[in-house]
């Protein structure tokens, strides 16, 4: 899926400072505790394996994967330095520093020093840049080049749960052709040589929890700074994001979680 329209605003951390998303969200995506545990199990076994999480945010899914695989190591890469600092602090607090490393850099420019046994690209196909219509293909291609033969890709990517109406498309910054159906997404993965091991999708409840977490940072700031010179600007951004959600993609844009076996 494209980066949430609120993310760039929350992540910039320029005045006025908005609270980081991890204060209200466990995962940077529509993902429950139960589903996260199930997705991690789909990557196992990871004995003595190396896991890459690209566009990792604060890397909660990677850290939990390492906790489930005590001999595995992991690397998280994300352009946002604040998120990487949070990931590093969490790794230290959970005793994972020796097995987890993090890089605040552009994924498209970063090169690992060894092949991975598993790659996670969760709602982050945009990190390779380019035309949004090519984001999924870019991610599938890049992940395959990073994986050893027989490795696994955990791909969290958008798809249309139902055909968006013209009114919905007009209300959200996502071109119709950026996504197809869930079956189309799986077929695309297969054309890149992968085989599907498991497929599921975020529920509406998971989406709502995620979207609510995005909105809370703005609303809390507006509550605490009603007379700020920036209040009108922040209110407009919050209102735009809310309309993207409620008049655009809610109940129409899905997020698929695919566990894929690399050739």
């Amino acid at each position: 899926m494209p980066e949430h329209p609120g993310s760039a605003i929350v992540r910039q951390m320029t005045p006025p400072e908005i609270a980081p998303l991890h204060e209200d969200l466990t995962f940077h995506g529509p993902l429950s505790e139960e589903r996260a545990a199930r997705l991690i199990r789909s990557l196992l076994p990871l004995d003595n394996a190396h896991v890459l999480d690209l566009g990792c945010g604060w890397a909660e899914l990677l850290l939990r994967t390492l906790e489930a695989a005590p001999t595995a190591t992991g690397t998280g890469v994300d352009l946002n330095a604040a998120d990487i600092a949070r990931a590093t602090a969490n790794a230290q607090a959970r005793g994972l520093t020796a097995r987890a490393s993090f890089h605040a850099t552009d994924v498209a420019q970063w090169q690992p020093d060894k092949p991975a046994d598993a790659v996670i690209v969760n709602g982050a196909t945009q990190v390779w840049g380019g035309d949004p219509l090519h984001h999924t293909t870019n991610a599938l291609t890049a992940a395959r080049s990073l994986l050893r033969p027989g490795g696994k890709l955990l791909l969290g990517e958008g798809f249309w749960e139902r055909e968006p109406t013209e009114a919905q498309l007009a209300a959200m910054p996502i071109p119709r052709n950026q996504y197809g159906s869930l079956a189309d997404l799986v077929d695309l993965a297969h054309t890149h040589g992968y085989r599907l091991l498991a497929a599921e999708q975020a529920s509406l409840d998971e989406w709502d929890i995620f979207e609510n977490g995005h909105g809370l940072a703005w609303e809390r700031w507006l509550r605490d700074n009603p007379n700020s010179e920036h209040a009108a600007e922040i209110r407009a951004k919050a209102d735009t994001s809310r309309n993207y959600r409620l008049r655009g993609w809610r109940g129409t844009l899905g997020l698929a979680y695919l566990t894929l076996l690399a050739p």
Side-chain angles (χ1 to χ4, degrees):
M1 62 181 293
E3 184 169 17
H4 191 285
S7 297
I9 301 156
V10 175
R11 289 183 172 200
Q12 283 173 4
M13 299 299 287
T14 54
E17 185 169 304
I18 306 296
L21 293 176
H22 61 68
E23 291 192 1
D24 298 299
L25 293 168
T26 301
F27 302 100
H28 192 185
L31 182 60
S32 65
E33 300 270 352
E34 295 79 9
R35 193 181 310 281
R38 191 161 58 247
L39 295 178
I40 290 168
R41 287 196 298 271
S42 78
L43 295 176
L44 300 177
L46 289 170
D47 300 331
N48 300 307
H50 188 64
V51 183
L52 296 180
D53 190 347
L54 305 177
C56 66
W58 55 88
E60 182 63 26
L61 191 58
L62 175 60
L63 294 177
R64 292 187 183 211
T65 301
L66 297 182
E67 288 172 330
T71 61
T73 58
T75 300
V77 185
D78 197 285
L79 189 58
N80 185 268
D83 280 349
I84 290 296
R86 176 69 177 180
T88 301
N90 283 348
Q92 183 175 12
R94 289 148 78 168
L96 295 171
T97 302
R99 296 195 287 127
S101 61
F102 299 98
H103 303 273
T105 191
D106 186 345
V107 170
Q109 303 300 319
W110 178 79
Q111 292 293 327
D113 56 9
K114 60 182 177 181
D117 300 280
V119 170
I120 299 170
V121 182
N122 185 18
T125 59
Q126 75 280 353
V127 298
W128 284 276
D131 187 331
L133 300 185
H134 301 149
H135 283 174
T136 310
T137 294
N138 291 345
L140 290 167
T141 301
R144 182 172 172 179
S145 72
L146 297 169
L147 281 164
R148 66 165 179 79
K152 294 178 182 177
L153 168 63
L154 176 58
L155 178 69
E157 181 60 317
F159 72 99
W160 296 121
E161 287 192 44
R162 55 183 58 83
E163 184 69 24
T165 66
E166 290 302 318
Q168 287 176 311
L169 289 170
M172 58 181 163
I174 303 174
R176 166 63 184 85
N177 293 336
Q178 183 167 352
Y179 300 120
S181 68
L182 178 57
D184 292 334
L185 177 60
V186 173
D187 286 348
L188 180 62
H190 276 229
T191 66
H192 283 75
Y194 296 92
R195 299 295 300 178
L196 179 68
L197 299 180
E200 51 188 282
Q201 69 185 74
S203 69
L204 189 57
D205 282 347
E206 286 170 306
W207 270 112
D208 282 343
I209 291 168
F210 173 54
E211 296 286 359
N212 290 341
H214 261 277
L216 273 174
W218 283 318
E219 298 305 327
R220 187 182 298 113
W221 187 93
L222 288 167
R223 178 200 64 196
D224 295 340
N225 301 276
N227 299 316
S228 169
E229 63 180 322
H230 299 287
E233 173 192 356
I234 297 301
R235 188 176 297 108
K237 293 179 186 300
D239 291 347
T240 296
S241 181
R242 184 185 67 249
N243 284 326
Y244 286 159
R245 171 193 180 186
L246 298 180
R247 298 186 184 279
W249 58 60
R250 187 178 187 272
T252 297
L253 177 65
L255 188 73
Y257 295 106
L258 307 182
T259 304
L260 302 165
L261 183 68

